Amino acid sequence: MNAFSGLDELEKSALLEIENSHELSELEAIRIRLLGKKGELTAALRGMKDIPEQDRPVFGRRVNEIRDRITAALESKISELMRAEKEARLIAEKVDITLPGKKQPIGGLHPLTRIYYEIRDIFVSMGFDVMDGPEVEYDKYNFEMLNIPTDHPARDTQDTVYISDDIVLRTHTSPVQIRTMLAQKPPIRMICPGRVYRSDDVDATHSPIFNQIEGLVVDRGISFANLKDTLNVFLKEFYGEDTVTKFRPGHFPFTEPSAEVDATCSKCRGRGCPACKGAGMIEVLGCGMVHPQVLRNCGIDPDEYSGFAFGMGLDRLANIKYGITDIRLLFENDIRFLAQFR
Ligand code: DAH
């Protein structure tokens, strides 16, 4: 009965080996080694020819029984391992939904950007286009064609940064008026925001780089009444319906007549406070009717067309609106300052 005890031995060691296995790949190897076409059990079956004929049915049944037991043992071990693996994965991937979420900080718009968007939206709603111009500008456009010839005193007040004899860092956004009038025929209705440069020392109210918004309207029959009305609509929209404006005579070489405009102090609403130095009004922009010579310089006939222009300091408007007393805060980008405008 050597062949039978060989089967017993095979069964015992196979079941033990399966029981002690901890890897699915290992179990697969065992399956192939025992039950495969060239496997040990198949080999044992082949040995049947050496067994006396009357014992063969019993031997055959015993082989089948062992195959069933091994198969069952493999299956149960496989499902046991898979279950353990799944449990381990569930534990590893467990999410504690009671933990507070991670905060994603959301940025905000810079106060200057906010102010610009507000102003832009008001003028765009009145039919203005938004133009752009270079910060490195020809002297010709920054001064000459705006009626500010070489020896004009207005040049001194502008503290110009020269790149070369005829190229400057623009000292205001007014050269974009010239560029616009050279590039397109009236009717023109545009605003132009942008950075401007003056060789100022930095202090609470001065910065060598600041921001302006320019405006220009040119068409047939444009009058000072149109200028006044447009700016009144804008200032009431921007500062509030109860805003009062005052147009004072002013002087700019590129406009005639020129005016400086005061508006109700947005801080004290006219009662008088440190921001408006007790006046209740605060200067907000310069403006005027485009000088006929400026129109002529750009190939526009002043007998046929007229226009008005205005310019304002964006930083100043932001400071007034938000009660900021030091212009440097607008440029230092201290996050503790900026975060207040979200
Ligand atoms: N360019 C002037 C400045 O920088 C501002 C200004 C005043 C612009 C009157 C204008 C204007 O277009 O009409 O001080």
Side-chain angles (χ1 to χ4, degrees), residues 187-206:
I188 293 169
R189 240 181 304 177
M190 71 86 170
I191 56 162
C192 162
R195 230 177 259 143
V196 302
Y197 300 82
R198 297 190 191 178
S199 63
D200 266 333
D201 288 332
V202 179
D203 63 27
T205 54
H206 293 87

Side-chain angles (χ1 to χ4, degrees), residues 142 146 148 157-158 171-175 177 196 198 210 212-216 227 251-260 285-290 308-313:
N142 193 79
L146 284 165
I148 314 174
T157 63
Q158 299 232 354
T171 58
H172 50 181
T173 41
S174 302
Q177 289 187 28
V196 302
R198 297 190 191 178
F210 56 104
Q212 289 188 335
I213 291 190
E214 192 76 15
L216 174 70
L227 161 64
H251 174 77
F252 301 102
F254 36 87
T255 45
E256 180 58 36
S258 305
E260 281 171 306
L285 53 83
C287 61
M289 300 305 292
V290 181
F308 67 80
F310 53 91
M312 51 195 149

Side-chain angles (χ1 to χ4, degrees), residues 87-324:
E87 259 162 39
R89 203 172 59 231
L90 284 178
I91 287 169
E93 291 173 1
K94 196 161 100 175
V95 174
D96 182 353
I97 57 164
T98 66
L99 281 175
K102 279 198 189 118
K103 209 172 189 168
Q104 293 290 348
I106 299 172
L109 291 176
H110 190 283
L112 284 176
T113 309
R114 277 171 172 262
I115 290 276
Y116 165 57
Y117 284 176
E118 258 181 65
I119 295 172
R120 178 200 62 185
D121 290 349
I122 296 170
F123 281 106
V124 165
S125 78
M126 291 196 273
F128 282 67
D129 294 325
V130 177
M131 306 300 274
D132 199 10
E135 292 172 22
V136 179
E137 184 58 284
Y138 292 113
D139 179 290
K140 193 170 65 171
Y141 293 166
N142 193 79
F143 293 124
E144 208 81 21
M145 293 176 77
L146 284 165
N147 239 0
I148 314 174
T150 312
D151 297 325
H152 198 284
R155 290 211 180 198
D156 292 344
T157 63
Q158 299 232 354
D159 300 312
T160 312
V161 179
Y162 280 87
I163 300 287
S164 68
D165 279 350
D166 52 359
I167 296 180
V168 301
L169 292 184
R170 67 176 177 196
T171 58
H172 50 181
T173 41
S174 302
V176 185
Q177 289 187 28
I178 302 295
R179 288 179 172 273
T180 305
M181 287 189 279
L182 289 174
Q184 69 191 61
K185 296 262 147 288
I188 293 169
R189 240 181 304 177
M190 71 86 170
I191 56 162
C192 162
R195 230 177 259 143
V196 302
Y197 300 82
R198 297 190 191 178
S199 63
D200 266 333
D201 288 332
V202 179
D203 63 27
T205 54
H206 293 87
S207 160
I209 305 175
F210 56 104
N211 298 273
Q212 289 188 335
I213 291 190
E214 192 76 15
L216 174 70
V217 172
V218 182
D219 203 352
R220 291 191 176 87
I222 297 292
S223 71
F224 201 92
N226 299 129
L227 161 64
K228 242 185 123 172
D229 186 59
T230 304
L231 292 179
N232 275 337
V233 167
F234 160 66
L235 289 168
K236 280 173 188 289
E237 193 71 34
F238 185 67
Y239 283 119
E241 210 31 60
D242 59 341
T243 299
V244 175
T245 58
K246 186 157 80 187
F247 287 68
R248 288 182 284 106
H251 174 77
F252 301 102
F254 36 87
T255 45
E256 180 58 36
S258 305
E260 281 171 306
V261 181
D262 299 340
T264 309
C265 175
S266 58
K267 193 99 187 271
C268 62
R269 302 306 317 165
R271 267 175 272 112
C273 70
C276 58
K277 301 193 178 74
M281 306 278 289
I282 209 154
E283 186 188 323
V284 287
L285 53 83
C287 61
M289 300 305 292
V290 181
H291 196 294
Q293 187 56 44
V294 173
L295 292 175
R296 230 175 273 127
N297 290 345
C298 299
I300 294 173
D301 180 0
D303 291 330
E304 190 179 352
Y305 292 104
S306 54
F308 67 80
F310 53 91
M312 51 195 149
L314 200 56
D315 318 85
R316 202 177 134 69
L317 293 188
N319 286 353
I320 295 170
K321 183 137 185 165
Y322 293 124
I324 300 166

